[in-house]
Amino acid sequence: MLFPEYRPRRLRRTENIRSLVRETHLTIDDLIYPLFICEGKNIKQEIRSMPEVYRFSIDKALEEIKEATQLGIKAVLLFGIPNKKDEVGTSAYIENGIIQKAVRAIKDKFPELIVITDVCLCEYTSHGHCGIIKNGEVDNDLTLEVLAKIAVSHAKAGADIVAPSDMMDGRVGRIREALDEAGFSHVAIMSYAVKYCSAFYGPFREAAESAPKFGDRRSYQMDPANSREALREASLDIEEGADIIMVKPAMPYLDIIKMLRNEFNYPLAAYQVSGEYAMIKAAAKLGWLDEEKILWESLISIKRAGADLIITYFAKKIAKKLNEK
Ligand SMILES: [Zn+2]
């Protein structure tokens, strides 16, 4: 049927009609709230390139989480900023590491909250790479053993889901094996299955103090020019035991989200990264974009592309909006 019989505008006439035929919905259940946790007390330090995002000491993180849970947010993703770094990232898996302490404190106060922990080395190594360095390169297989230790230490502290973000080959399988051996077969893995080597991570590296001191991450993170490789990475992670797969960043890679959605029947997460956040914030600050509208549009686009879950620094802001509705 063609014009004038068919008129698409009929279904756009009023807000009620539009909401009746709306195809995609954003809910608070979709949101994962990332938090940076540092040592010390009474610290809530704003990150220069990420306005309204903070580094929290554990006591302050608990206050932030209380607010988030009151808004209905059900999941947090924790990144640790340790006091001590060394060549091999020891502080990533010690019993009293920053994340281990944070998970215990959070689970004690908020047992129902889903606590997801980032499993990587870059925040804990003096060189800032996501693995163990041997002969000037990140050694894949040596790194796997450390990642397994980190994941088990997080599970012991009470993490519900571990999220390896390192992009080493075989890490999901090694972590699954280590978790099962240690009695944590119930702990899920959300893998950064498709993580691009992206300049959109810039502000995060300031927040987590994790910029590499030499070279870059192109030898382990994916080339932004590749999409077929994303399918291979995701299918490997699923075969190795990933429960949830993730695409990172989100907005510049909506085609990849769509592709993975079509290809795999697994829960799919997308990470709206620090650079995406910073762009929206910066443009809004200059008065060039409407922050609230852009925020909504960017998140609904990620869902429309096929993501089930969105990790976003805007979690609290959008949760407030959704509650007002
Ligand atoms: Zn890393």
Side-chain angles (χ1 to χ4, degrees), residues 10-310:
R10 278 179 203 132
L11 297 183
R12 298 180 201 140
R13 272 182 52 236
T14 68
E15 179 48 29
N16 277 352
I17 295 178
R18 289 190 293 272
S19 68
L20 191 72
V21 296
R22 189 159 291 139
E23 298 172 21
T24 312
H25 298 273
L26 184 67
T27 76
I28 298 176
D29 290 345
D30 306 330
L31 304 172
I32 299 174
Y33 184 29
L35 291 168
F36 300 103
I37 316 281
C38 63
E39 294 280 2
K41 275 214 165 78
N42 204 28
I43 297 172
K44 182 179 179 182
Q45 182 184 28
E46 194 171 36
I47 292 147
R48 191 185 50 89
S49 51
M50 300 174 76
E52 294 167 53
V53 174
Y54 303 86
R55 282 189 208 111
F56 295 103
S57 52
I58 294 172
D59 54 329
K60 284 288 178 185
L62 292 172
E63 291 174 16
E64 180 71 6
I65 289 170
K66 188 175 174 195
E67 262 185 50
T69 53
Q70 281 167 349
L71 289 168
I73 292 170
K74 297 184 181 71
V76 292
L77 170 59
L78 306 182
F79 295 92
I81 305 158
N83 271 350
K84 281 193 189 133
K85 302 188 183 211
D86 62 22
E87 278 285 292
V88 290
T90 311
S91 56
Y93 54 80
I94 52 177
E95 202 192 329
N96 276 322
I98 180 66
I99 287 298
Q100 292 78 1
K101 286 190 289 190
V103 173
R104 288 195 294 267
I106 293 167
K107 273 295 184 183
D108 187 48
K109 279 234 160 113
F110 308 95
E112 302 295 316
L113 182 74
I114 301 161
V115 175
I116 310 171
T117 56
D118 179 72
V119 172
C120 200
L121 277 165
C122 48
E123 297 123 69
Y124 304 91
T125 49
S126 44
H127 45 73
H129 274 289
C130 302
I132 304 296
I133 304 289
K134 195 179 165 189
N135 302 327
E137 280 185 31
V138 176
D139 187 283
N140 193 86
D141 299 11
L142 286 177
T143 303
L144 295 187
E145 295 314 306
V146 186
L147 293 170
K149 266 202 247 182
I150 300 172
V152 169
S153 76
H154 290 178
K156 260 187 198 154
D160 301 288
I161 301 176
V162 292
S165 62
D166 52 282
M167 289 302 278
M168 296 302 122
D169 297 331
R171 89 267 207 230
V172 172
R174 183 68 195 93
I175 287 171
R176 184 71 272 161
E177 183 184 51
L179 287 173
D180 291 353
E181 268 172 19
F184 298 109
S185 58
H186 57 285
V187 171
I189 298 177
M190 176 168 78
S191 82
Y192 289 66
V194 182
K195 183 178 179 180
Y196 284 95
C197 189
S198 170
F200 283 94
Y201 306 148
F204 176 96
R205 288 174 189 172
E206 182 200 337
E209 297 168 357
S210 63
K213 297 281 181 303
F214 65 90
D216 53 39
R217 297 190 173 133
R218 280 181 293 180
S219 77
Y220 42 103
Q221 295 178 350
M222 274 182 54
D223 184 341
N226 291 0
S227 60
R228 294 188 296 271
E229 188 185 359
L231 293 177
R232 297 201 295 276
E233 278 286 359
S235 63
L236 280 173
D237 281 12
I238 287 169
E239 274 176 52
E240 288 178 25
D243 301 284
I244 301 169
I245 52 174
M246 190 206 300
V247 174
K248 181 183 180 184
M251 207 160 70
Y253 297 90
L254 293 177
D255 58 323
I256 306 298
I257 295 172
K258 183 81 186 168
M259 231 171 60
L260 262 58
R261 171 75 297 148
N262 290 343
E263 200 73 21
F264 303 106
N265 291 318
Y266 275 72
L268 179 60
Y271 199 144
Q272 185 184 50
V273 302
S274 57
E276 296 173 68
Y277 179 86
M279 281 197 309
I280 293 173
K281 280 294 199 188
K285 195 175 165 188
L286 286 167
W288 291 356
L289 288 177
D290 180 323
E291 178 174 336
E292 262 180 28
K293 286 182 180 160
I294 289 285
L295 165 59
W296 174 264
E297 193 174 330
S298 68
L299 294 174
I300 206 75
S301 303
I302 295 166
K303 282 217 72 185
R304 192 194 61 235
D308 303 299
L309 309 167
I310 306 175

